[in-house]
Amino acid sequence: MSTRSRITRWHVMGWFFLVTLLFFAVAPMIWMLITSFKSQFAALKYPPEFYPRNPNFEQYQRLLSPSNDVGRQFLRYMLNSIWVSTAATVFGVAVAVPAAYAFARFRFPGRKALFFSVLFRNMFPAVVFLMPLFIMMRWMGLVNTYSSLIITYLTFGLPLSIWLLKGFYDNIPVELEQAARIDGCTRFQAFYMIVMPLSAPGIIATAIYSFITAWNEYVYALTFLNDDQKLTLPVGLQRFFTEYATNWPGLMAASFIMSVPVVVMFLILQKYFVRALTEGAVKA
Amino acid sequence: MTTGHRGGPKARGLFRRMADHRLDYLYILPALGVMLLVIAYPIYYTVYLSFYKTPPSLAMSDKIWNGIDNYVTILTSKSFQEVTINTMVWTVWSTFFAMLLGLGAALVLNREFIGRGILRGLLLIPYVISAVAASYIWRWIYHSDFGVLGAILYQLGMIEGKLNLLDNVDLVLPSLIVVNVWKEFPFAMIMILAGLQTVPDQLLNAARVDGAGAFDRFRHVTLPHLKGVLVITVLLLFVANLNHFTIPWIMTGGGPAGASDIWITQIYQIAFGRIRFGIASAYSVILFGVMVVIGYFYVKALTGDDDRRHG
């Protein structure tokens, strides 16, 4: 009897905590949405309207239609972001897959040292790399190009991608490949025809993770690009803020549009994403 | 894994074994190549530049050897102490509260109930959205004239007049920490949640049968199993916070009067605001040193795991 009442108390406390936390997590995003449906004038009312009296899609129409300057600019940023994130993801995964497989399967000398040097990269602040990379990009004539970002993102995504994928490969039984080898496959064929399809979930998880990271990346984009036509969304958002400082509904609408792809992608593939994050650190 | 790798058998030399495995290296070659170019070289170059005085034109052929003067300049500057304290406050408290909320959420979510998946998804959203968008959302919430937070607190009678968070020297850093915790507690949550799933149910049930209360079960069964995950999560968060740039940069730019300036924003300001790459490089090397120490513990925590797994 006493045990039961104790459990109930913990339950109630747990629920109370969860509801508070949920409010803390979600309320700012709801406020972003509410604000984005207001007119500029309504947003600057005090006290604020918690429920917009004249909700409208004016901001969204403006941002998403190519018929005005703001919209053209915003769509340009969005295309840039899509291109940079997709390219970084595709190349990144293509490079990470063989490396992760090698780390998971082969026992070559230096394997451990290499692997931890791969992991060690997670420790370094982006800003440490910013200056030498900036000089390097200038020297190679890549400042203000998408390539500078694609190369940077793909490299910085690599250690984690390799780490995640290695976790997936560790879980695929070696016996499958051995069977394939007995049936006459070469080692590469076994990898390509047996292991690759089986690790598809891992590759998807890794790809989403890289895409989201690249999509949200700010500091390199801020430093490497300054041509207005080439900016990605995070820097573009900042540019918007400096230009239209009082247009909070517009800024909130832009933030919302920018969040939609990653949130949707994440919600659909939540299982993989969570696995991607926790794989390796917890157990492989 | 066998002991073969650590010392290496004496009879067959290292090169011989490397030659035996030469095809293995083909798989990691692309990754290695890109990383040498974009990671190893920049680290070397940062250390190298930290001993030079660089010209504002960034024409590196004009740089002047400066010995350890850059380091002396940083360590003796008045702002260094203040910025270091800010960095520690920012990093420690962000990590602490993210862990606290993450642990709480994970413990509650570790039970089966209807809507658990949806709840977990909702709680994770702050983690996936862009830090830039998050910064603007919170800037708008904190806005001193039209911010919703000020309005609510005013209507509840908790403050008089306007709420001024981001222009207040004492409140700015805590306000930024709230945003940062909002953004990263979900990460702690899912890491811990994944760790909780490795706690064997039989053990928990056995403890229950033996009459252990919820707290005792947590303390004596769950916590020991969770230790590894907790250590790694704390280290990852600590490093992420030490390196976090976007939230302070977008929300305050280090202001007012440097009250929210941390190492990273300071380095960026010196490098790309004042174009003094030499000093900024030296600053990076100092930060880098701190990282290496943490990195050592990180790798140790991870390898401990790896060795146990492979027996």
Side-chain angles (χ1 to χ4, degrees):
Chain A
M1 198 55 210
S2 70
T3 321
R4 182 166 291 173
S5 72
R6 201 180 294 149
I7 289 171
T8 317
R9 198 186 65 198
W10 285 100
H11 267 262
V12 172
M13 276 172 62
W15 277 107
F16 179 74
F17 175 77
L18 200 61
V19 170
T20 318
L21 192 64
L22 191 65
F23 179 78
F24 174 59
V26 173
M29 287 176 295
I30 294 178
W31 189 239
M32 159 181 79
L33 260 182
I34 292 177
T35 307
S36 72
F37 293 127
K38 291 180 179 176
S39 66
Q40 267 190 68
F41 177 72
L44 299 184
K45 268 190 189 154
Y46 192 88
E49 293 174 358
F50 286 99
Y51 186 78
R53 255 168 237 146
N54 301 305
N56 60 71
F57 291 92
E58 186 195 321
Q59 302 297 343
Y60 291 94
Q61 277 161 0
R62 207 157 63 101
L63 285 170
L64 292 176
S65 93
S67 60
N68 65 76
D69 281 350
V70 179
R72 252 197 306 280
Q73 203 62 35
F74 186 77
L75 290 172
R76 181 78 236 171
Y77 296 154
M78 188 135 70
L79 279 180
N80 294 344
S81 267
I82 292 173
W83 162 235
V84 169
S85 314
T86 310
T89 304
V90 170
F91 291 127
V93 170
V95 176
V97 162
Y101 182 71
F103 280 125
R105 283 288 190 272
F106 309 151
R107 294 287 177 266
F108 48 89
R111 171 183 162 272
K112 258 204 159 164
L114 278 174
F115 189 56
F116 285 111
S117 70
V118 164
L119 278 184
F120 216 63
R121 138 70 201 124
N122 279 348
M123 296 279 118
F124 300 133
V127 171
V128 167
F129 294 96
L130 213 44
M131 288 171 280
L133 281 181
F134 183 72
I135 295 170
M136 213 162 92
M137 295 297 174
R138 252 171 60 127
W139 178 70
M140 297 193 292
L142 287 178
V143 166
N144 248 330
T145 63
Y146 301 125
S147 314
S148 64
L149 285 189
I150 294 171
I151 296 172
T152 314
Y153 293 170
L154 105 82
T155 321
F156 288 163
L158 266 186
L160 197 75
S161 303
I162 295 177
W163 183 228
L164 297 178
L165 281 168
K166 177 188 173 275
F168 284 93
Y169 289 130
D170 282 338
N171 287 342
I172 297 174
V174 195
E175 288 76 19
L176 285 175
E177 286 150 71
Q178 288 166 346
R181 295 291 296 281
I182 292 169
D183 289 346
C185 281
T186 64
R187 197 165 69 165
F188 186 74
Q189 277 176 329
F191 163 64
Y192 185 73
M193 288 161 64
I194 308 291
V195 181
M196 278 285 275
L198 281 175
S199 60
I203 294 175
I204 295 172
T206 311
I208 314 166
Y209 194 85
S210 320
F211 188 90
I212 292 182
T213 320
W215 181 268
N216 288 340
E217 203 285 330
Y218 168 70
V219 60
Y220 287 102
L222 173 71
T223 313
F224 289 165
L225 306 176
N226 49 50
D227 178 350
D228 221 27
Q229 288 308 305
K230 292 194 172 135
L231 301 184
T232 55
L233 274 174
V235 189
L237 201 65
Q238 194 190 12
R239 191 68 55 103
F240 267 24
F241 180 74
T242 22
E243 273 169 39
Y244 315 98
T246 50
N247 185 0
W248 284 98
L251 199 65
M252 291 298 113
S255 301
F256 179 70
I257 296 171
M258 182 177 157
S259 307
V260 166
V262 289
V263 172
V264 166
M265 208 186 294
F266 156 73
L267 285 180
I268 295 173
L269 302 163
Q270 199 196 133
K271 195 178 69 189
Y272 294 129
F273 183 83
V274 168
R275 193 161 166 201
L277 268 181
T278 52
E279 188 75 41
V282 180
K283 69 174 183 74
Chain B
M1 210 197 292
T2 53
T3 51
H5 301 279
R6 202 144 297 159
K10 338 101 227 165
R12 297 167 69 219
L14 179 69
F15 286 108
R16 178 72 187 285
R17 282 189 300 126
M18 285 174 76
D20 285 348
H21 285 275
R22 62 191 178 279
L23 283 178
D24 296 356
Y25 291 104
L26 276 182
Y27 288 76
I28 55 166
L29 201 64
L32 204 64
V34 199
M35 292 211 302
L36 277 178
L37 179 74
V38 184
I39 294 175
Y41 178 73
I43 293 175
Y44 156 77
Y45 199 68
T46 304
V47 177
Y48 172 77
L49 265 192
S50 74
F51 297 108
Y52 284 89
K53 200 180 172 111
T54 55
S57 67
L58 288 182
M60 284 305 155
S61 47
D62 296 343
K63 63 183 180 303
I64 303 160
W65 172 257
N66 208 11
I68 57 162
D69 276 10
N70 288 338
Y71 291 92
V72 175
T73 311
I74 294 165
L75 294 173
T76 55
S77 72
K78 271 197 298 262
S79 64
F80 181 72
Q81 200 184 351
E82 195 194 341
V83 174
T84 305
I85 293 171
N86 286 343
T87 309
M88 287 303 129
V89 169
W90 158 267
T91 309
V92 171
W93 288 111
S94 297
T95 309
F96 175 76
F97 282 113
M99 284 305 287
L100 197 68
L101 295 188
L103 181 63
L107 286 174
V108 183
L109 286 177
N110 195 34
R111 282 194 294 263
E112 289 289 339
F113 56 83
I114 298 161
R116 185 175 84 141
I118 297 169
L119 257 179
R120 189 183 67 173
L122 284 175
L123 287 176
L124 273 168
I125 292 179
Y127 182 70
V128 285
I129 70 166
S130 131
V132 175
S135 301
Y136 282 121
I137 294 170
W138 280 92
R139 251 181 99 153
W140 174 231
I141 290 172
Y142 283 164
H143 199 289
S144 55
D145 291 323
F146 313 109
V148 65
L149 187 65
I152 292 173
L153 291 181
Y154 182 76
Q155 274 165 10
L156 291 175
M158 287 165 79
I159 53 161
E160 287 175 20
K162 305 271 183 207
L163 180 71
N164 205 341
L165 290 172
L166 297 180
D167 294 325
N168 182 319
V169 180
D170 298 316
L171 293 178
V172 63
L173 205 51
S175 310
L176 295 190
I177 291 173
V178 169
V179 181
N180 196 27
V181 169
W182 178 79
K183 188 90 180 60
E184 72 185 7
F185 87 84
F187 174 74
M189 177 182 86
I190 47 167
M191 291 291 279
I192 298 170
L193 203 51
L196 281 174
Q197 263 134 41
T198 64
V199 180
D201 280 342
Q202 301 97 304
L203 268 185
L204 285 172
N205 287 332
R208 194 188 318 234
V209 171
D210 288 347
F215 185 74
D216 286 328
R217 279 191 313 246
F218 173 71
R219 168 91 180 64
H220 295 291
V221 181
T222 310
L223 211 52
H225 271 94
L226 218 50
K227 213 182 119 208
V229 177
L230 289 179
V231 169
I232 288 168
T233 312
V234 165
L235 286 173
L236 285 174
L237 282 178
F238 200 88
V239 168
N241 288 326
L242 208 48
N243 294 334
H244 196 96
F245 173 76
T246 311
I247 291 174
W249 187 254
I250 298 239
M251 290 191 72
T252 64
S260 61
D261 221 356
I262 57 177
W263 279 355
I264 288 286
T265 53
Q266 182 84 352
I267 293 173
Y268 194 87
Q269 178 57 35
I270 295 172
F272 293 95
R274 309 217 302 259
I275 321 280
R276 293 168 76 176
F277 273 33
I279 294 203
S281 295
Y283 221 130
S284 304
V285 173
I286 296 174
L287 177 60
F288 182 76
V290 177
M291 290 298 162
V292 169
V293 175
I294 304 171
Y296 169 76
F297 288 109
Y298 173 59
V299 168
K300 224 174 110 171
L302 279 176
T303 33
D305 230 36
D306 201 47
D307 286 344
R308 239 176 293 137
R309 257 205 323 274
H310 291 114

Short mmCIF file of all heavy atoms in Angstrom, two decimals, chain A residues 10, chain B residues 99-100 102-108 110 192 195-196 199 203-205 207-208 212-227 230:
data_model
loop_
_atom_site.label_atom_id
_atom_site.label_comp_id
_atom_site.label_asym_id
_atom_site.label_seq_id
_atom_site.Cartn_x
_atom_site.Cartn_y
_atom_site.Cartn_z
N TRP A 10 5.48 10.09 -7.19
CA TRP A 10 6.50 10.30 -8.22
C TRP A 10 5.86 10.52 -9.57
O TRP A 10 6.31 11.35 -10.36
CB TRP A 10 7.45 9.10 -8.29
CG TRP A 10 8.41 9.07 -7.15
CD1 TRP A 10 8.33 8.31 -6.02
CD2 TRP A 10 9.58 9.86 -6.99
NE1 TRP A 10 9.39 8.57 -5.19
CE2 TRP A 10 10.17 9.52 -5.76
CE3 TRP A 10 10.19 10.84 -7.79
CZ2 TRP A 10 11.34 10.11 -5.30
CZ3 TRP A 10 11.37 11.42 -7.33
CH2 TRP A 10 11.92 11.06 -6.09
N MET B 99 21.49 19.16 -18.52
CA MET B 99 21.52 17.80 -17.98
C MET B 99 20.35 17.57 -17.04
O MET B 99 19.71 16.52 -17.06
CB MET B 99 22.84 17.55 -17.22
CG MET B 99 24.04 17.31 -18.07
SD MET B 99 23.87 15.98 -19.26
CE MET B 99 23.95 14.54 -18.21
N LEU B 100 20.08 18.55 -16.20
CA LEU B 100 19.01 18.42 -15.21
C LEU B 100 17.66 18.20 -15.91
O LEU B 100 16.94 17.24 -15.62
CB LEU B 100 18.97 19.68 -14.35
CG LEU B 100 18.22 19.57 -13.03
CD1 LEU B 100 18.98 18.64 -12.09
CD2 LEU B 100 18.08 20.95 -12.40
N GLY B 102 17.18 17.39 -19.03
CA GLY B 102 17.26 16.20 -19.88
C GLY B 102 17.04 14.94 -19.06
O GLY B 102 16.29 14.04 -19.47
N LEU B 103 17.66 14.88 -17.90
CA LEU B 103 17.53 13.70 -17.05
C LEU B 103 16.09 13.54 -16.58
O LEU B 103 15.50 12.45 -16.65
CB LEU B 103 18.47 13.81 -15.85
CG LEU B 103 18.47 12.64 -14.87
CD1 LEU B 103 18.95 11.38 -15.55
CD2 LEU B 103 19.35 12.94 -13.66
N GLY B 104 15.50 14.65 -16.13
CA GLY B 104 14.11 14.61 -15.67
C GLY B 104 13.19 14.12 -16.78
O GLY B 104 12.40 13.19 -16.59
N ALA B 105 13.33 14.73 -17.95
CA ALA B 105 12.46 14.36 -19.07
C ALA B 105 12.66 12.89 -19.45
O ALA B 105 11.69 12.17 -19.69
CB ALA B 105 12.75 15.26 -20.27
N ALA B 106 13.91 12.45 -19.47
CA ALA B 106 14.19 11.07 -19.85
C ALA B 106 13.56 10.10 -18.87
O ALA B 106 12.97 9.09 -19.26
CB ALA B 106 15.70 10.85 -19.95
N LEU B 107 13.64 10.41 -17.58
CA LEU B 107 13.08 9.51 -16.58
C LEU B 107 11.57 9.39 -16.73
O LEU B 107 11.00 8.31 -16.62
CB LEU B 107 13.43 9.99 -15.16
CG LEU B 107 14.88 9.76 -14.75
CD1 LEU B 107 15.17 10.41 -13.40
CD2 LEU B 107 15.20 8.28 -14.70
N VAL B 108 10.91 10.53 -17.01
CA VAL B 108 9.46 10.47 -17.18
C VAL B 108 9.10 9.75 -18.47
O VAL B 108 8.16 8.96 -18.51
CB VAL B 108 8.85 11.89 -17.17
CG1 VAL B 108 7.35 11.82 -17.27
CG2 VAL B 108 9.24 12.63 -15.91
N ASN B 110 10.64 7.46 -19.92
CA ASN B 110 11.10 6.07 -19.98
C ASN B 110 9.98 5.08 -19.64
O ASN B 110 10.23 3.90 -19.51
CB ASN B 110 12.30 5.86 -19.06
CG ASN B 110 13.01 4.57 -19.36
OD1 ASN B 110 13.08 4.15 -20.52
ND2 ASN B 110 13.52 3.91 -18.33
N ILE B 192 20.20 10.31 -22.62
CA ILE B 192 19.92 9.61 -21.36
C ILE B 192 18.82 8.57 -21.57
O ILE B 192 18.88 7.47 -21.02
CB ILE B 192 19.55 10.63 -20.26
CG1 ILE B 192 20.73 11.57 -20.02
CG2 ILE B 192 19.16 9.92 -18.98
CD1 ILE B 192 20.43 12.75 -19.15
N GLY B 195 20.29 5.65 -22.88
CA GLY B 195 21.04 4.97 -21.82
C GLY B 195 20.11 4.20 -20.90
O GLY B 195 20.42 3.09 -20.48
N LEU B 196 18.94 4.79 -20.62
CA LEU B 196 17.99 4.14 -19.71
C LEU B 196 17.51 2.81 -20.28
O LEU B 196 17.19 1.89 -19.54
CB LEU B 196 16.78 5.04 -19.48
CG LEU B 196 16.98 6.19 -18.48
CD1 LEU B 196 15.76 7.08 -18.46
CD2 LEU B 196 17.25 5.64 -17.09
N VAL B 199 19.23 -0.25 -19.08
CA VAL B 199 19.09 -0.72 -17.70
C VAL B 199 18.19 -1.95 -17.71
O VAL B 199 17.07 -1.88 -18.18
CB VAL B 199 18.49 0.38 -16.80
CG1 VAL B 199 18.35 -0.13 -15.37
CG2 VAL B 199 19.35 1.62 -16.84
N LEU B 203 16.56 -6.34 -13.08
CA LEU B 203 17.22 -5.75 -11.91
C LEU B 203 16.28 -4.80 -11.19
O LEU B 203 16.16 -4.81 -9.97
CB LEU B 203 18.46 -4.99 -12.35
CG LEU B 203 19.78 -5.77 -12.34
CD1 LEU B 203 20.92 -4.85 -12.67
CD2 LEU B 203 19.99 -6.38 -10.96
N LEU B 204 15.59 -3.96 -12.00
CA LEU B 204 14.66 -3.00 -11.39
C LEU B 204 13.54 -3.72 -10.66
O LEU B 204 13.17 -3.36 -9.55
CB LEU B 204 14.08 -2.08 -12.47
CG LEU B 204 15.03 -1.01 -12.99
CD1 LEU B 204 14.41 -0.31 -14.19
CD2 LEU B 204 15.33 0.01 -11.90
N ASN B 205 13.03 -4.78 -11.30
CA ASN B 205 11.96 -5.54 -10.67
C ASN B 205 12.44 -6.23 -9.40
O ASN B 205 11.74 -6.24 -8.38
CB ASN B 205 11.40 -6.57 -11.65
CG ASN B 205 10.57 -5.91 -12.73
OD1 ASN B 205 10.00 -4.84 -12.48
ND2 ASN B 205 10.52 -6.51 -13.90
N ALA B 207 14.79 -5.24 -7.47
CA ALA B 207 14.92 -4.22 -6.42
C ALA B 207 13.55 -3.86 -5.85
O ALA B 207 13.39 -3.66 -4.66
CB ALA B 207 15.59 -2.98 -7.00
N ARG B 208 12.55 -3.81 -6.76
CA ARG B 208 11.20 -3.49 -6.31
C ARG B 208 10.69 -4.55 -5.34
O ARG B 208 10.13 -4.25 -4.29
CB ARG B 208 10.26 -3.36 -7.50
CG ARG B 208 8.95 -2.70 -7.16
CD ARG B 208 8.02 -2.78 -8.34
NE ARG B 208 8.79 -2.50 -9.58
CZ ARG B 208 8.43 -1.58 -10.45
NH1 ARG B 208 7.35 -0.87 -10.26
NH2 ARG B 208 9.12 -1.39 -11.53
N ALA B 212 12.71 -1.78 -2.50
CA ALA B 212 13.37 -0.50 -2.75
C ALA B 212 12.37 0.49 -3.35
O ALA B 212 11.61 0.15 -4.24
CB ALA B 212 14.54 -0.70 -3.70
N GLY B 213 12.35 1.70 -2.82
CA GLY B 213 11.45 2.72 -3.34
C GLY B 213 11.96 3.27 -4.65
O GLY B 213 13.05 2.91 -5.10
N ALA B 214 11.15 4.14 -5.26
CA ALA B 214 11.51 4.67 -6.58
C ALA B 214 12.87 5.36 -6.53
O ALA B 214 13.70 5.17 -7.41
CB ALA B 214 10.44 5.64 -7.05
N PHE B 215 13.09 6.12 -5.49
CA PHE B 215 14.34 6.87 -5.42
C PHE B 215 15.53 5.94 -5.22
O PHE B 215 16.57 6.11 -5.85
CB PHE B 215 14.28 7.91 -4.30
CG PHE B 215 15.50 8.79 -4.28
CD1 PHE B 215 15.67 9.78 -5.23
CD2 PHE B 215 16.49 8.58 -3.34
CE1 PHE B 215 16.81 10.57 -5.23
CE2 PHE B 215 17.64 9.37 -3.34
CZ PHE B 215 17.80 10.36 -4.28
N ASP B 216 15.34 4.94 -4.35
CA ASP B 216 16.42 3.99 -4.11
C ASP B 216 16.75 3.20 -5.36
O ASP B 216 17.91 2.93 -5.66
CB ASP B 216 16.03 3.01 -2.98
CG ASP B 216 16.08 3.70 -1.64
OD1 ASP B 216 16.93 4.60 -1.49
OD2 ASP B 216 15.27 3.37 -0.76
N ARG B 217 15.69 2.83 -6.11
CA ARG B 217 15.93 2.09 -7.34
C ARG B 217 16.73 2.95 -8.31
O ARG B 217 17.65 2.48 -8.97
CB ARG B 217 14.59 1.67 -7.98
CG ARG B 217 14.00 0.42 -7.37
CD ARG B 217 12.86 -0.07 -8.23
NE ARG B 217 11.98 1.05 -8.57
CZ ARG B 217 10.72 1.17 -8.13
NH1 ARG B 217 10.18 0.26 -7.41
NH2 ARG B 217 9.99 2.20 -8.46
N PHE B 218 16.36 4.23 -8.38
CA PHE B 218 17.08 5.14 -9.27
C PHE B 218 18.54 5.24 -8.82
O PHE B 218 19.46 5.13 -9.63
CB PHE B 218 16.42 6.51 -9.24
CG PHE B 218 17.20 7.55 -9.99
CD1 PHE B 218 17.28 7.51 -11.38
CD2 PHE B 218 17.88 8.56 -9.31
CE1 PHE B 218 18.01 8.45 -12.07
CE2 PHE B 218 18.62 9.49 -10.01
CZ PHE B 218 18.68 9.44 -11.39
N ARG B 219 18.72 5.42 -7.51
CA ARG B 219 20.04 5.67 -6.97
C ARG B 219 20.96 4.45 -7.11
O ARG B 219 22.12 4.58 -7.47
CB ARG B 219 19.85 6.06 -5.50
CG ARG B 219 21.06 6.11 -4.61
CD ARG B 219 21.67 7.49 -4.63
NE ARG B 219 22.85 7.51 -3.77
CZ ARG B 219 23.95 6.80 -4.00
NH1 ARG B 219 24.01 6.01 -5.02
NH2 ARG B 219 24.98 6.90 -3.18
N HIS B 220 20.42 3.27 -6.85
CA HIS B 220 21.29 2.10 -6.76
C HIS B 220 21.26 1.20 -7.99
O HIS B 220 22.15 0.39 -8.17
CB HIS B 220 20.96 1.28 -5.51
CG HIS B 220 21.25 2.03 -4.24
ND1 HIS B 220 22.53 2.32 -3.84
CD2 HIS B 220 20.42 2.57 -3.32
CE1 HIS B 220 22.48 3.00 -2.70
NE2 HIS B 220 21.21 3.18 -2.37
N VAL B 221 20.22 1.28 -8.80
CA VAL B 221 20.17 0.42 -9.99
C VAL B 221 20.37 1.25 -11.26
O VAL B 221 21.26 0.98 -12.06
CB VAL B 221 18.83 -0.36 -10.07
CG1 VAL B 221 18.83 -1.26 -11.29
CG2 VAL B 221 18.60 -1.14 -8.80
N THR B 222 19.53 2.27 -11.44
CA THR B 222 19.56 3.03 -12.68
C THR B 222 20.86 3.82 -12.82
O THR B 222 21.53 3.74 -13.86
CB THR B 222 18.37 3.98 -12.74
OG1 THR B 222 17.19 3.25 -12.44
CG2 THR B 222 18.24 4.59 -14.11
N LEU B 223 21.20 4.56 -11.79
CA LEU B 223 22.33 5.47 -11.89
C LEU B 223 23.65 4.77 -12.24
O LEU B 223 24.36 5.25 -13.14
CB LEU B 223 22.46 6.27 -10.58
CG LEU B 223 23.02 7.69 -10.73
CD1 LEU B 223 22.25 8.47 -11.79
CD2 LEU B 223 22.94 8.43 -9.41
N PRO B 224 23.99 3.66 -11.59
CA PRO B 224 25.24 2.99 -11.96
C PRO B 224 25.27 2.56 -13.43
O PRO B 224 26.30 2.66 -14.08
CB PRO B 224 25.28 1.77 -11.04
CG PRO B 224 24.44 2.14 -9.89
CD PRO B 224 23.37 3.02 -10.43
N HIS B 225 24.11 2.14 -13.96
CA HIS B 225 24.07 1.75 -15.36
C HIS B 225 24.19 2.95 -16.29
O HIS B 225 24.59 2.83 -17.43
CB HIS B 225 22.75 1.03 -15.67
CG HIS B 225 22.84 -0.43 -15.44
ND1 HIS B 225 22.45 -1.00 -14.26
CD2 HIS B 225 23.30 -1.43 -16.22
CE1 HIS B 225 22.66 -2.29 -14.33
NE2 HIS B 225 23.17 -2.58 -15.50
N LEU B 226 23.78 4.09 -15.78
CA LEU B 226 23.68 5.29 -16.60
C LEU B 226 24.99 6.07 -16.61
O LEU B 226 25.16 6.99 -17.40
CB LEU B 226 22.56 6.16 -16.03
CG LEU B 226 21.66 6.91 -17.00
CD1 LEU B 226 21.15 5.96 -18.05
CD2 LEU B 226 20.52 7.54 -16.23
N LYS B 227 25.89 5.69 -15.73
CA LYS B 227 27.07 6.54 -15.49
C LYS B 227 27.83 6.87 -16.78
O LYS B 227 28.13 8.01 -17.05
CB LYS B 227 28.01 5.85 -14.49
CG LYS B 227 28.73 6.83 -13.61
CD LYS B 227 29.70 6.11 -12.67
CE LYS B 227 31.11 6.58 -12.93
NZ LYS B 227 32.11 5.56 -12.61
N LEU B 230 26.02 9.34 -18.93
CA LEU B 230 25.99 10.67 -18.31
C LEU B 230 27.34 11.36 -18.50
O LEU B 230 27.39 12.54 -18.86
CB LEU B 230 25.68 10.55 -16.82
CG LEU B 230 24.25 10.16 -16.47
CD1 LEU B 230 24.07 10.05 -14.95
CD2 LEU B 230 23.25 11.17 -17.02
#
